[in-house]
Each structure stands twice: as structure tokens, then as C-alpha cells.
Amino acid sequence: MTQQIGAFEAKTHFSQILEKAEHGADFIITRRGKPVAKIIPFQKEPEMTFKEAVEKLQEMRKYYRGEPGSFNIREAIEEGRP
């Protein structure tokens, strides 16, 4: 359950809020009753295997390269020259 807490109280009890966030609590920080920030527990992203990383790089390469021959390095170099 997300708890709302005022900015002054959050500043005063910041270490306690962090400790509770470590254990799964969410907080919305408000200023004059309006939400301005949210503190949520950090979730580490799962690490990729070597194979997954290579596959991801190959996907990115297709995206940035486009079709074979669609990108000319010489044109890119010359593009910014007067």
C-alpha cells in the first residue's frame, strides 16, 4: 500500500522511509497536498546470459543499420562539412 507523506516529514524521517522502502513500502511525497515524487523499492533487473546479450546486440544492429547498403559512412562523414 502506498503511503502519502508531506515533504517536511519526509525530510525529517528520510532514513526511516528508506528503511521501509527496502522492505517493500511505497511512498508518495507531497508538497501542499499535491504529489511531487514517489519512493519505491529498488528492483535489480535480471542479468542477461551471454547468448541473450549477443542476440540483443544483433537486434540493435539490425535496427541501427537498416538494410544492407542503406548507410554510407563516407556520406555521413561529408554531411557535416561545408
Side-chain angles (χ1 to χ4, degrees), residues 18-80:
L18 288 179
E19 188 172 324
K20 289 179 181 179
E22 281 182 314
H23 293 93
D26 293 0
F27 294 89
I28 293 178
I29 310 299
T30 61
R31 183 182 293 143
R32 297 185 190 108
K34 295 182 181 178
V36 294
K38 187 171 186 178
I39 297 177
I40 60 171
F42 180 78
Q43 294 179 343
K44 185 177 177 183
E45 293 184 22
E47 293 185 21
M48 284 189 230
T49 65
F50 180 76
K51 183 179 178 183
E52 291 170 333
V54 169
E55 289 171 356
K56 188 75 166 172
L57 286 171
Q58 288 172 338
E59 287 175 29
M60 290 172 53
R61 188 175 189 189
K62 288 178 191 174
Y63 174 77
Y64 287 107
R65 278 185 131 186
E67 294 299 316
S70 65
F71 180 78
N72 184 312
I73 190 70
R74 177 58 50 202
E75 288 176 12
I77 292 170
E78 297 295 329
E79 185 177 302

